Amino acid sequence: MTSPITTERHGDVLVIISNSPPVNALGAAVRQGLDAGIKEGLSDPSVKAMVIRCEGKTFFAGADITEFGKPMQEPGLPTLLDMIEAADKPVIAAFHGTALGGGCEVTLACHYRIADPKAVIGTPEVKLGLLPGAGGTQRIPRLAGVPLALQMTAIGDPIPAKVALQAGLIDRIAGEGSLAEDAIAFAREMADARPLPRASEKAAAADPDAVAAFKAANAKRFRGFDAPAANIACVEKATDGSSFADGITFERQQFMTLMLGTQSAAQRHLFFAERQAAKIDGIAPDITLRAIKKVGVIGAGTMGGGISMNFLSAGIPVTIVEMQQDALDRGTGVIRKNYEASAAKGRMKPEQVEAAMGALTPTLSLDDLADCDLVIEAVYENMDVKKELFAKLDAIVKPGAILASNTSYLNIDEIASSTSRPQDVVGMHFFSPANVMKLLEVVRGAKTADDVLATVMALAKTIRKVAVVSGVCHGFIGNRMLMPRQVEANKLLMEGATPEQIDRVHVEFGMPMGPFQMSDLAGVDIGWHRDPTRIESIRDALCAEDRWGQKKGAGFYDYDEKRNPTPSARVAEIIEDFRSRSNLPKREITDEEIIERTLYTMVNEGALILEEKMAQRASDIDVVWIYGYGWPVYRGGPMFWADTEGAKKIVAGLEKHGFTVAELLKANAESGGRFK
C-alpha cells in the first residue's frame, strides 16, 4: 500500500507532505508516514530543519474517528507528537484550511507554526463529548494563556489564523498562496536557532478569575454536558504548577473517562447520524438533479418569511406571494428587519442585506410563480385550502417544477392528488423559526419522483439545513412522536401532577423546555376551535379565559412583563375543577412515572414509525429530535437513548401503565438488540 506521506528535499530542509483525501485525517497510515518522515530527517546529517504540510483543501482536520473504540495501531498520536517535540532539529508546521483536533495538536507539538492567511485552527473534540487527548489541553494554555485555552477546548469553535497569531499560538502568517515557499524560508531562518521552543517546557500562569468568569458565562450552554467540565479541569491542571507529564497523565485519564461514557457515544452517534440522514435508500447517488435557480414561496407570515430567508441567504432569488398588500408589506418588512438585526450583530455586511432584499420579489399574484423551479406553500394548515392552492399551481407553474408543501401534519398524497403531476409534489416541513432551525423533514409521497426527492435533499445542504426523509403519516416523524408525549402530559395533570412538575422533569432530563412551557411559547390557542362556550378540555378552559400563552401574559403559567413564568393559582383551580368533574382521584405522581409515560411512549411511537418504514433508519429519528425539538445532544436522540436505557426497561415501564408495545421494541427487549 502506498503511503499517504511523501518527503521532498529542498536543500537542507526536508518537507514532509500528507496527501490523504478528503481531509488528511490522522489515521494509522498517516501517523506511520509522519513517524517515518521525522525519523528520516533526524537521521540525515544534511537535514537542518523539517516542514510538515498537507496537500489538498486542508491541513490535518482531525483524528480518524472510525478508529474510535478499536485497538490503536502504533504509533499513537501522543507518542508521535512527543517525538516531534523532542526532535533536536526545528520542525515547522505549515497549515492551510483547517487545523482541527489532532491537526491542531500536531502544530502545537512542532517548534514553530506558520499559517495560510485564511486558515483556522481549533480543538472541536468537545462537540463529540471528548477533549484534545494528545496534549492539546496542556500545550494551548502554555502557548496562549488560560482564556483562549478555555474557549478553544471547552467550546470548541475554531479561531482564524490572525487571532491565533495575536494570541501567540502561531508564529507567522504566510503570504497569499505562498505557504509552501514561506514555510521553507522560515525553516532555513530557524535552522540554527537554539534552544528549540517546546510548548511542554513553557510555564502556564494560573488565572482563576478567568476560569470563574468563563464557567458563569457558559453555565446554560454547558448544562448537562460532561465534556466541557473535563476540558476546563485539564486547562486548570496545566496551570496549577504540576509538571507537563502529570498534566498529560491527567488529560489521558479525563479523555478515557469521556471516551468510555455514554455522552461521547451519543455525540459520536449523532455525528454519523447526521451524515447518514442525507443518504436516500433506493436512489442512485449519481442521479441527475433538477436545477433550482428561482424559488416561489406562498405566504409571507412567520413561516413563509423564514423559509424565504433561507434561499435569499444562499443567493437564490425568491418570489413571495400574499393575498393582501398589507400582509405582503408586513412580511417583507420583517425579513428586512431580521437581516438588519444580523448586520447589527456583525453577522452580515450591509451590502449582503441589500443583496438579499434585492433578490426578493414581492407580489399579490400567483401567476408570477410561473417560471419558478420550486414553489413552497406556507399557508393555513387546512387540507381544502391546500388542495385548492395546488390545483391552481398545477395550471400556472411550468412543467418540471417542484411543488412543495410546508405542512406539518397533512397527507402529502392527498395534496398531490389535486394536481396532474403528483410526481413533482413533495413535503418540505420547516421548523419554526424557519430561518434559524436546522431541521427539514422532507416528506416522500407515494408518487414523488426520485429526482425530486434527491433534488430537495441536496438543496437542503445549500440552505444549511439538516434534512431527513419521512414517509406519509399524520405528523410525519417529529410531530407524530410529539403527540403521545402531549397526550400523556395532559392526562398526568388530571391525575395529580402539576404543569411545573412535568416541565421540571423534562428540563432536568435535558430538554430546553417542558410540554407546557412549549405550549405557552408556541401559543395555547394553536388548533383551538375558537368557541369560548365549548369547554371540553383544560386547554379549552384556558383559551376561553384568554390564557393563550406568553403572547397574552398568561397560559399554563402567569408571566410578568419580561415573560418570566410563575405557577398559576387560576390554572390549578381549572385543573382541580376538571379533575373533580371527571371523578378522578388526585394522587402523587412520581418523576419516574412522568418519564415512563411521556418519554417511553415517544420511543414506542418511534418503533412504530420504523416498523411502518416511515423513517429510513432509527438514527434519522434521532436527528429529527435533536435538531427539531431540542432533545439533549448528550443523550443522542430518543432511539439511541432507548438503546442505552435498555429495551427491557422501557417495555416494562410501558406495560406497567397499560400501553400497547410496538413489536419492534418487544423484539429488541427479547433479543437485547438495538434500533437500526
Side-chain angles (χ1 to χ4, degrees):
M1 180 178 170
T2 305
S3 173
I5 303 292
T6 55
T7 58
E8 290 178 357
R9 283 293 295 267
H10 293 263
D12 54 5
V13 176
L14 181 72
V15 182
I16 302 164
I17 304 165
S18 175
N19 189 3
S20 182
V23 293
N24 284 302
L26 286 156
V30 171
R31 296 194 306 276
Q32 289 160 6
L34 286 173
D35 179 77
I38 294 293
K39 286 175 178 173
E40 177 187 336
L42 292 175
S43 63
D44 187 338
S46 66
V47 171
K48 289 194 170 183
M50 290 169 270
V51 170
I52 298 174
R53 69 172 180 86
C54 294
E55 295 285 2
K57 294 180 180 179
T58 184
F59 192 66
F60 305 113
D64 182 351
I65 67 172
T66 61
E67 294 184 348
F68 285 8
K70 299 175 184 176
M72 175 58 69
Q73 292 187 52
E74 294 299 332
L77 189 60
T79 303
L80 174 64
L81 300 193
D82 286 346
M83 182 186 75
I84 291 172
E85 192 178 50
D88 59 5
K89 298 177 182 181
V91 182
I92 290 84
F95 68 93
H96 71 294
T98 55
L100 299 179
C104 173
E105 291 180 296
V106 169
T107 74
L108 301 176
C110 293
H111 306 113
Y112 302 99
R113 290 156 287 282
I114 182 170
D116 179 85
K118 295 177 182 174
V120 297
I121 185 168
T123 52
E125 286 90 342
V126 70
K127 297 180 182 182
L128 293 178
L130 295 169
L131 54 77
T137 68
Q138 302 305 294
R139 289 187 174 102
I140 296 174
R142 284 173 162 84
L143 289 168
V146 168
L148 185 66
L150 293 171
Q151 287 284 339
M152 289 182 68
T153 61
I155 291 178
D157 293 336
I159 60 171
K162 289 178 182 176
V163 174
L165 179 68
Q166 291 165 356
L169 200 62
I170 65 174
D171 303 290
R172 297 223 180 144
I173 292 181
E176 194 79 46
S178 60
L179 177 64
E181 298 84 351
D182 291 354
I184 292 168
F186 188 21
R188 288 204 178 106
E189 185 183 331
M190 296 295 124
D192 297 318
R194 297 294 186 277
L196 292 174
R198 296 181 174 93
S200 63
E201 295 173 357
K202 295 180 182 291
D207 195 342
D209 290 344
V211 174
F214 181 76
K215 286 179 177 178
N218 292 285
K220 186 176 180 182
R221 178 202 287 256
F222 294 159
R223 180 175 67 88
F225 287 90
D226 293 337
N231 276 276
I232 293 168
C234 286
V235 171
E236 289 183 293
K237 184 69 176 176
T239 67
D240 71 0
S242 299
S243 68
F244 182 77
D246 285 347
I248 290 292
T249 299
F250 183 79
E251 178 189 83
R252 175 56 32 179
Q253 290 167 344
Q254 294 290 310
F255 180 86
M256 292 310 298
T257 299
L258 293 174
M259 169 64 85
L260 298 173
T262 57
Q263 288 203 1
S264 179
Q267 289 175 257
R268 283 179 276 134
H269 162 76
L270 182 62
F271 177 87
F272 289 112
E274 184 180 330
R275 284 145 187 80
Q276 191 70 14
K279 298 175 182 174
I280 313 168
D281 291 345
I283 296 181
D286 60 348
I287 190 170
T288 302
L289 304 181
R290 300 191 187 186
I292 307 295
K293 295 178 181 176
K294 185 177 181 183
V295 172
V297 176
I298 305 170
T302 302
M303 283 305 297
I307 291 168
S308 298
M309 288 180 70
N310 290 307
F311 295 98
L312 295 171
S313 298
I316 300 172
V318 172
T319 299
I320 190 166
V321 184
E322 256 296 351
M323 294 176 66
Q324 304 293 333
Q325 188 66 48
D326 61 340
L328 187 62
D329 293 343
R330 186 165 57 250
T332 54
V334 169
I335 293 173
R336 175 173 281 282
K337 184 179 174 184
N338 287 341
Y339 276 133
E340 287 176 346
S342 292
K345 293 173 184 173
R347 294 174 187 162
M348 293 179 76
K349 294 176 180 175
E351 54 267 32
Q352 290 175 306
V353 173
E354 295 311 317
M357 293 306 297
L360 180 66
T361 304
T363 179
L364 298 175
S365 174
L366 287 174
D367 292 338
D368 290 333
L369 301 174
D371 63 343
C372 289
D373 303 300
L374 164 68
V375 177
I376 305 168
E377 66 78 15
V379 302
Y380 186 59
E381 191 78 339
N382 176 282
M383 179 59 80
D384 291 338
V385 170
K386 291 186 188 286
K387 288 174 74 172
E388 182 183 348
L389 176 59
F390 270 73
K392 289 178 182 177
L393 292 175
D394 190 33
I396 293 169
V397 182
K398 68 182 181 182
I402 298 172
L403 306 180
S405 173
N406 178 53
T407 180
S408 50
Y409 285 98
L410 300 178
N411 188 308
I412 291 295
D413 292 331
E414 188 175 344
I415 293 171
S417 71
S418 65
T419 75
S420 63
R421 41 172 145 174
Q423 73 279 3
D424 294 337
V425 178
V426 69
M428 290 180 72
H429 178 210
F430 290 82
F431 283 66
S432 186
N435 54 307
V436 176
M437 296 294 284
K438 288 186 71 173
L439 181 68
L440 176 65
E441 278 185 319
V442 179
V443 187
R444 182 183 201 171
K447 296 183 178 178
T448 302
D450 286 354
D451 66 334
V452 166
L453 187 64
T455 298
V456 171
M457 290 294 285
L459 187 62
K461 287 186 181 177
T462 303
I463 60 172
R464 299 185 175 183
K465 298 296 181 193
V466 178
V468 172
V469 175
S470 171
V472 176
C473 56
H474 186 66
F476 314 127
I477 296 171
N479 283 338
R480 176 173 167 178
M481 289 174 67
L482 184 66
M483 283 185 276
R485 186 186 88 163
Q486 300 303 102
V487 166
E488 289 305 310
N490 281 289
K491 285 182 181 177
L492 284 160
L493 284 186
M494 295 286 283
E495 295 170 35
T498 62
E500 49 270 24
Q501 181 194 5
I502 295 169
D503 286 344
R504 173 184 57 76
V505 169
H506 284 83
V507 170
E508 287 176 355
F509 180 80
M511 300 295 286
M513 62 185 72
F516 301 107
Q517 292 166 321
M518 186 185 78
S519 183
D520 276 1
L521 179 65
V524 183
D525 62 313
I526 290 178
W528 180 46
H529 49 63
R530 306 283 157 179
D531 181 355
T533 64
R534 184 178 140 205
I535 299 176
E536 299 167 350
S537 66
I538 293 170
R539 190 186 76 160
D540 287 349
L542 295 179
C543 288
E545 294 187 11
D546 221 25
R547 299 186 69 96
W548 293 6
Q550 288 190 20
K551 60 190 173 187
K552 294 279 192 175
F556 283 96
Y557 296 87
D558 294 332
Y559 293 90
D560 63 18
E561 64 280 357
K562 293 183 179 177
R563 295 198 175 191
N564 294 314
T566 52
S568 170
R570 178 59 190 139
V571 171
E573 287 175 6
I574 291 171
I575 293 169
E576 188 59 46
D577 180 54
F578 264 89
R579 187 185 296 119
S580 61
R581 281 195 277 141
S582 304
N583 293 318
L584 278 171
K586 184 176 182 179
R587 62 183 180 84
E588 284 291 318
I589 306 289
T590 65
D591 292 357
E592 179 185 27
E593 182 175 347
I594 292 170
I595 292 283
E596 289 167 348
R597 289 177 58 182
T598 61
L599 298 186
Y600 285 13
T601 49
M602 284 176 51
V603 170
N604 197 46
E605 198 66 36
L608 291 172
I609 287 169
L610 290 171
E611 282 180 19
E612 297 166 19
K613 302 193 183 306
M614 292 295 108
Q616 295 188 105
R617 50 191 81 89
S619 60
D620 284 6
I621 295 175
D622 291 335
V623 169
V624 166
W625 269 84
I626 293 282
Y627 286 116
Y629 299 86
W631 185 278
V633 170
Y634 56 80
R635 295 192 191 273
M639 309 318 283
F640 181 89
W641 173 70
D643 288 336
T644 60
E645 284 286 284
K648 274 188 181 178
K649 180 180 177 183
I650 289 177
V651 168
L654 289 167
E655 289 178 339
K656 186 200 310 183
H657 300 292
F659 292 106
T660 302
V661 180
E663 291 301 319
L664 180 57
L665 185 52
K666 278 186 193 173
N668 280 1
E670 290 167 8
S671 68
R674 299 173 70 89
F675 288 112
K676 296 176 182 175

